[in-house]
Amino acid sequence: MVRTTESIEAHLTSLADREPAFAKVIAQLGMPEPRNSKPGAETLLRTIVGQQVSVAAARSMWAKLEGAFGSPPDLAKLLAASDEELRAAGMSRQKSGYIRSLAELVLSGKLDLANLPADDEEAIALLTKIKGIGRWSAEIYLLFAEGRADVFPAGDLAVLVEIGRLLGLPDKPTEKQLRELAEAWRPYRGAAAVLAWHSYNSAVL
């Protein structure tokens, strides 16, 4: 879990005992804040809307979507909407396709977001059936919306850069290399990623 102060502190304390570089970050910056998102389709819709646009643009687009399709947006209405209606709500043709993919999978019962498989890889495989949701987005959802403690978004650029720097590696590791390194941090790899973001976003280190 990275969604409560107690859980993230417990997980990072365990990691700090194994990895001196993590202990140093915690000593200098303190513990990161817990990270959490609302489980369910709304969070995945927000992910789709926010892809490849600024935070301000995503906020404006989301407001338009809610204005046209309810708050939170109604999946049945989204699935039935025409391209023109979705475009009027600020959605590109590509985003409209992604939104319909999510709505169809959820409404048909092919994707039950309340009962995703307990196995992380199986859950990622299901989530990535949604058009526009890749492995990184699926991992972020499982980490922050479901609080899965060992989900590790090793393809995240900030995680790659910062863990490579903290461990004193000569070059930024590849995703494969980072996953191999992170095996030593099971079952708390999610907390390692949160600590990497905490360090990356700090001006102190």
Side-chain angles (χ1 to χ4, degrees):
M1 293 283 288
V2 296
R3 303 179 76 226
T4 68
T5 299
E6 295 77 11
S7 61
I8 200 165
E9 288 185 359
H11 294 186
L12 285 174
T13 297
S14 177
L15 289 175
D17 289 340
R18 308 181 204 175
E19 177 50 66
F22 292 165
K24 180 183 175 185
V25 173
I26 294 167
Q28 291 185 296
L29 298 179
M31 290 285 183
E33 292 295 315
R35 306 273 293 255
N36 59 77
S37 304
K38 181 180 177 182
E42 180 181 349
T43 290
L44 290 166
L45 270 176
R46 285 183 179 274
T47 298
I48 290 168
V49 170
Q51 286 174 344
Q52 298 181 322
V53 298
S54 69
V55 172
R59 190 178 296 119
S60 173
M61 291 162 68
W62 184 257
K64 284 184 180 179
L65 201 66
E66 285 192 318
F69 297 100
S71 179
D74 185 281
L75 292 183
K77 291 179 180 178
L78 288 170
L79 186 59
S82 66
D83 287 343
E84 290 72 23
E85 288 170 325
L86 287 167
R87 187 162 55 248
M91 299 301 108
S92 66
R93 181 180 296 274
Q94 186 177 55
K95 286 186 190 293
S96 296
Y98 296 166
I99 287 168
R100 289 194 183 99
S101 174
L102 170 62
E104 191 279 325
L105 286 168
V106 171
L107 293 172
S108 69
K110 295 174 186 173
L111 178 62
D112 183 355
L113 292 171
N115 293 286
L116 289 173
D119 181 86
D120 294 336
E121 288 301 322
E122 290 179 17
I124 288 167
L126 270 179
L127 289 169
T128 53
K129 288 184 177 180
I130 305 166
K131 292 179 181 177
I133 298 295
R135 183 180 180 93
W136 179 86
S137 295
E139 288 171 332
I140 294 298
Y141 177 83
L142 293 174
L143 188 60
F144 297 146
E146 293 206 345
R148 298 200 184 198
D150 203 41
V151 171
F152 186 61
D156 184 274
L157 181 60
V159 172
L160 285 164
V161 168
E162 196 62 12
I163 289 184
R165 188 179 74 82
L166 293 175
L167 297 183
L169 302 180
D171 300 299
K172 182 186 75 176
T174 65
E175 181 176 345
K176 182 175 183 293
Q177 288 169 334
L178 185 54
R179 289 196 186 279
E180 290 170 355
L181 283 169
E183 284 297 311
W185 308 330
R186 286 181 180 273
Y188 304 131
R189 293 180 299 169
V194 173
L195 187 66
W197 285 314
H198 183 49
S199 177
Y200 184 84
N201 291 325
S202 172
V204 177
L205 287 180

